[in-house]
Amino acid sequence: GGGISELTEALATRSIRFKLLGTAGGWFLFDVTFYGNVLYQPTILKQVFHSQDSFSVTGGLRENTCLQMAMIALIGLPGYYASVWLMDKLGRRYIQLQGFLAMALLYALLGVFET
């Protein structure tokens, strides 16, 4: 019992409040960039593959937006598996910071070279 009072007591602790803010803030920024990218992925892929259709589910890799998006998702799988495998060896915080830094650099490069 007392779930709300325990939560209030935990949030009153300064160190927990800052850890929660840092974790929640980091994941919020990740969600904004990741899901924003997913929403505009068909538009970006249209430019990369020079496709005429805005969204197509038929044809080969050059025309099929669903297939293109699936390929992009599959590219990330080795990284997910590697992070799970290394999580206990390197630590969750290190892996999270490394992933955020890599994404920030890749998005910055995409922004610089795509304009």
Side-chain angles (χ1 to χ4, degrees):
I4 297 295
S5 63
E6 291 174 3
L7 176 62
T8 305
E9 184 179 327
L11 290 177
T13 308
R14 185 179 178 98
S15 65
I16 292 176
R17 208 175 28 230
F18 284 121
K19 287 179 182 178
L20 178 64
L21 181 65
T23 303
W27 281 108
F28 174 76
L29 292 174
F30 170 79
D31 286 344
V32 167
T33 57
F34 182 80
Y35 293 112
N37 185 42
V38 170
L39 288 174
Y40 288 102
Q41 196 172 33
T43 305
I44 294 167
L45 291 172
K46 180 180 173 185
Q47 288 183 341
V48 169
F49 286 99
H50 306 291
S51 176
Q52 301 300 321
D53 296 332
S54 60
F55 191 86
S56 175
V57 294
T58 60
L61 182 60
R62 191 168 193 72
E63 303 87 22
N64 190 332
T65 310
C66 288
L67 186 58
Q68 294 167 359
M69 292 174 73
M71 293 297 290
I72 296 295
L74 288 173
I75 289 171
L77 277 179
Y80 296 142
Y81 289 126
S83 66
V84 169
W85 183 62
L86 293 170
M87 193 170 297
D88 289 331
K89 293 177 185 174
L90 299 177
R92 287 155 177 78
R93 183 177 184 177
Y94 178 74
I95 288 178
Q96 183 178 11
L97 290 174
Q98 186 180 21
F100 285 167
L101 180 62
M103 283 185 62
L105 290 173
L106 290 172
Y107 281 125
L109 286 172
L110 180 64
V112 167
F113 291 111
E114 189 59 35
T115 56

